[in-house]
Amino acid sequence: MAGRGNGVPNKSRAMNTGGTGPAMRWIFGDQLGPHFLDRDDEPVLLIESRRVFARKPFHRQKAHLVLSAMRHRAAELGDRCEYHTADTYAEVVQGRKLSVCHPTSYPARDLLRRLPEVEVLAARGFATSMAEFADWARSRGSKRLLMEDHYRVARRRIDVLMDGDEPAGGRWNFDADNRQAPPKDRRGGGHRASGISASGIGSTGISGSGIGVAEPWWPVEDDIDEHVRHDLDRWERSGDVRFIGRDGPRRFPATRQEALSAFTHFVDHRLAAFGPFEDAMLADDPWMAHSLISAPLNLGLVAPLELVQRVESAYRAGDVPIASAEGFIRQVIGWRDYIWNLYWHLGPEYRRSNALHATRQLPRWFAELDADATAARCLSSVLAGVRDQAWAHHIPRLMVLGNYAMQRGWDPAEVTDWFHRAFVDGYDWVMVPNVIGMSQYADGGLITTKPYAGGGAYIDRMSDYCGGCAYRPTVRVGDRACPFTAGYWWFLNRHRAEFAGNHRMAQAVRGLDRLRDLDALVDQEEQRGSDAP
Ligand SMILES: Cc1cc2nc3c(=O)[nH]c(=O)nc-3n(C[C@H](O)[C@H](O)[C@H](O)COP(=O)(O)OP(=O)(O)OC[C@H]3O[C@@H](n4cnc5c(N)ncnc54)[C@H](O)[C@@H]3O)c2cc1C
Ligand code: SF4
């Protein structure tokens, strides 16, 4: 059906259906910004496929955001856009003269290979092209593809935060300044934002920042959102589709204008605090000073270089410290592009890596985001955030959710699939390397030199979770034993052989021999297994 009953104007199917005219630009749902088009009058094809949501249970708020963004884009494009709701892409595009920018997943790439009449253009929406990355990877020979090296090459090439040939501020890396624990007087959370009040920017019902920065900018829903909500309710009632997570106000931008407003607010009011507290976690403040830009960025509403240039300008104007500007730019042209390019560089089989032979199934309480099932405050709090917002910042993803999954030996492919479905910014390209490589060490160390495994001491140092928890981060065995601390040793013990030869892990493995309660700990954790702690 072409654009009917979904809040976007009905469009004619008659235009540009093959023939000899110029090719119509087909855009996928994550190619929604102007940089995916070449001309101001270019006709555009957008296809909404309900079947995508019928295949597996996605988070309700993720489904809402994606549909809302697509329908908003169609409404913006007006008569230039031909909007279809269809079961499959192929039924709309087969036999038509179309061009499309390189898609963001292997399944979509394979589909395009079966459609020879569709012209596939180079990928857009990233700062380092596949060709540039391939050249760099080749130049490394047998040396490891280090993120830091990729990032420095990109900084020089793009000429961002550079003073001539030297990095601005005299250093490439300000991580040492940035990894601060949350301020002691802010632990316990719930402190109100200083500077900007929440009035006029909507409300999430979530308390203000625990680190004294303004609350993020929140969008206001409109008629298109109402249609989306109505459709999702209807699909769910009919049993065609099942979601996980709770519905709630849309918190992430669905239009380019919203994304730019949100980002301007971040640069003006929150970026200065981004660096120092990048890695910190507070129970009452899921957002901290993070940008929340991954969702609109991954939808293609904004382009990475425009974000990076704004941040550089704020630094050059003296509005934000170098450590915060560099910390943010490193995430975008460093980490994000590195992950994107590794996804393609490592090939389609990479997702099946399972170097640690982890085969346990994801337990139901975790898969269904049942935050109340566990008394472990960190886990419960982060899981509740995913249930309510479909989002958590980097450290809860890596050191709470991912860490727990790895310690328990959950199947990395299942973990990847869960992250993909549960997070508002989750797409195949970004989840596969982040989960398989970064978080689960399932590639045996291609991306990271050691597993991101940590016990309760790390979580205690970087958060205020442990104070109100039923467990104690220092206790390994017994009723109060922290499942992360015990889980860490249990994990190391299971993988002694694999890690003994890793010089970054050898000391930790030797630590096992000093644990007099190791047998009791192993019994305890084997009994606990994947049950909610
Ligand atoms: C297990 C795991 C799963 C993740 N899954 C996703 C995902 O599905 N989608 C996603 O965009 N990011 C993912 N990340 C990376 C990162 O956690 C999120 O990009 C970030 O938390 C999003 O919040 P933000 O926009 O406020 O980011 P900020 O902290 O403000 O960082 C700025 C931007 O940097 C980029 N970035 C930083 N690190 C990464 C990274 N490792 N990979 C890709 N981009 C990065 C993002 O675009 C992000 O918006 C994952 C990380 C881990 C450890
Ligand atoms: S004691 Fe352990 S389980 Fe409890 S919050 Fe701290 S790290 Fe999490």
Side-chain angles (χ1 to χ4, degrees):
M1 184 182 74
R4 201 180 291 276
N6 51 17
V8 288
N10 188 22
K11 303 292 172 301
S12 160
R13 284 198 67 176
M15 56 188 195
N16 291 286
T17 45
T20 53
M24 188 178 217
R25 178 61 47 84
W26 173 18
I27 56 173
F28 284 105
D30 56 1
Q31 300 179 333
L32 299 178
H35 49 293
F36 291 96
L37 305 182
D38 289 328
R39 298 193 323 271
D40 284 347
D41 61 347
E42 198 168 23
V44 173
L45 174 69
L46 249 173
I47 307 167
E48 181 182 308
S49 161
R50 190 198 305 189
R51 192 182 280 184
V52 171
F53 299 114
R55 277 188 215 126
K56 324 171 170 185
F58 282 88
H59 198 294
R60 164 80 191 221
Q61 291 184 44
K62 178 177 189 166
H64 185 119
L65 180 70
V66 172
L67 292 186
S68 176
M70 289 177 67
R71 293 179 186 185
H72 274 98
R73 184 62 172 138
E76 265 169 23
L77 289 166
D79 287 342
R80 279 170 67 196
C81 181
E82 186 183 319
Y83 195 87
H84 287 259
T85 49
D87 271 348
T88 65
Y89 294 132
E91 70 191 61
V92 180
V93 302
Q94 214 127 38
R96 297 184 63 176
K97 184 174 171 187
L98 298 165
S99 65
V100 64
C101 295
H102 195 291
T104 60
S105 73
Y106 282 104
R109 190 198 65 173
D110 293 346
L111 166 73
L112 292 177
R113 286 187 171 168
R114 294 194 298 273
L115 298 167
E117 61 281 12
V118 176
E119 182 192 5
V120 181
L121 310 172
R124 300 183 190 179
F126 295 90
T128 295
S129 72
M130 291 181 192
E132 285 161 343
F133 190 86
D135 280 351
W136 172 72
R138 221 172 292 120
S139 75
R140 307 279 301 173
S142 58
K143 277 197 279 180
R144 191 180 265 276
L145 298 181
L146 290 177
M147 195 305 282
E148 185 67 33
D149 295 345
H150 143 77
Y151 167 64
R152 292 182 190 187
V153 169
R155 279 263 299 271
R156 280 209 164 91
R157 192 190 64 247
I158 300 165
D159 193 20
V160 64
L161 280 187
M162 296 298 298
D163 291 333
D165 205 35
E166 294 301 312
R171 268 152 60 195
W172 290 101
N173 188 321
F174 289 83
D175 275 359
D177 301 346
N178 281 351
R179 295 192 167 146
Q180 293 181 28
K184 286 231 167 356
D185 62 333
R186 301 285 179 167
R187 290 170 183 235
H191 292 261
R192 202 63 221 162
S194 64
I196 285 205
S197 84
S199 61
I201 45 176
S203 172
T204 54
I206 294 169
S207 64
S209 166
I211 50 167
V213 294
E215 213 181 321
W217 181 96
W218 305 116
V220 175
E221 291 194 6
D222 61 10
D223 289 353
I224 292 181
D225 289 297
E226 201 181 309
H227 274 283
V228 169
R229 181 158 287 113
H230 174 79
D231 283 352
L232 295 178
D233 285 344
R234 194 163 45 85
W235 298 351
E236 209 170 9
R237 267 197 314 273
S238 72
D240 293 354
V241 168
R242 188 175 82 79
F243 295 110
I244 54 170
R246 291 185 179 161
D247 191 12
R250 175 166 65 76
R251 296 192 175 92
F252 296 89
T255 66
R256 175 168 170 78
Q257 202 45 54
E258 286 182 352
L260 292 176
S261 298
F263 195 68
T264 301
H265 177 83
F266 165 72
V267 173
D268 291 349
H269 304 292
R270 296 163 50 75
L271 171 61
F274 172 83
F277 302 117
E278 227 180 305
D279 285 7
M281 300 176 280
L282 287 173
D284 282 352
D285 181 8
W287 319 111
M288 308 284 294
H290 290 272
S291 66
L292 316 189
I293 204 67
S294 56
L297 190 53
N298 295 349
L299 285 167
L301 293 170
V302 282
L305 285 186
E306 62 183 325
L307 305 182
V308 160
Q309 277 151 9
R310 274 181 183 228
V311 169
E312 174 163 25
S313 301
Y315 161 67
R316 298 283 179 200
D319 296 338
V320 297
I322 181 68
S324 285
E326 192 283 319
F328 182 83
I329 287 172
R330 155 183 301 273
Q331 302 308 313
V332 176
I333 62 167
W335 278 107
R336 183 171 185 270
D337 271 289
Y338 178 69
I339 291 290
W340 159 255
N341 278 296
L342 282 180
Y343 175 77
W344 296 104
H345 181 80
L346 296 169
E349 293 307 315
Y350 178 77
R351 66 190 317 118
R352 282 187 255 284
S353 312
N354 193 353
L356 297 180
H357 309 289
T359 53
R360 287 173 193 244
Q361 276 197 317
L362 226 63
R364 201 177 162 75
W365 62 273
F366 190 93
E368 297 288 325
L369 309 176
D370 184 1
D372 301 329
T374 171
R377 190 165 177 237
C378 55
L379 202 47
S380 174
S381 174
V382 175
L383 216 48
V386 182
R387 177 194 66 201
D388 298 343
Q389 288 123 231
W391 185 89
H393 78 69
H394 190 71
I395 298 303
R397 294 186 203 203
L398 188 64
M399 298 309 293
V400 178
L401 301 173
N403 185 17
Y404 200 70
M406 181 168 64
Q407 289 182 357
R408 300 287 133 186
W410 295 345
D411 181 336
E414 278 196 29
V415 179
T416 308
D417 179 60
W418 177 84
F419 267 104
H420 182 170
R421 292 182 291 103
F423 277 79
V424 70
D425 54 11
Y427 293 85
D428 203 52
W429 69 266
V430 64
M431 277 309 174
V432 169
N434 267 311
V435 180
I436 295 288
M438 282 278 284
S439 154
Q440 300 301 295
Y441 201 72
D443 62 5
L446 276 178
I447 295 187
T448 65
T449 48
K450 73 181 187 62
Y452 277 99
Y458 173 86
I459 295 174
D460 192 27
R461 186 165 67 251
M462 295 309 292
S463 78
D464 64 349
Y465 290 131
C466 299
C469 182
Y471 303 110
R472 307 302 319 133
T474 47
V475 177
R476 290 189 295 267
V477 177
D479 290 347
R480 304 271 275 166
C482 166
F484 280 85
T485 302
Y488 172 75
W489 292 115
W490 183 43
F491 168 75
L492 279 191
N493 188 52
R494 292 201 311 273
H495 298 292
R496 266 178 197 264
E498 285 104 322
F499 297 150
N502 177 333
H503 74 279
R504 296 198 64 199
M505 293 300 287
Q507 196 184 351
V509 171
R510 282 196 298 274
L512 279 167
D513 299 329
R514 291 195 293 275
L515 301 185
R516 275 183 298 192
D517 50 10
L518 184 61
D519 289 343
L521 181 152
V522 168
D523 283 350
Q524 165 187 288
E525 292 312 306
E526 270 171 7
Q527 266 190 38
R528 185 180 350 232
S530 299
D531 290 350

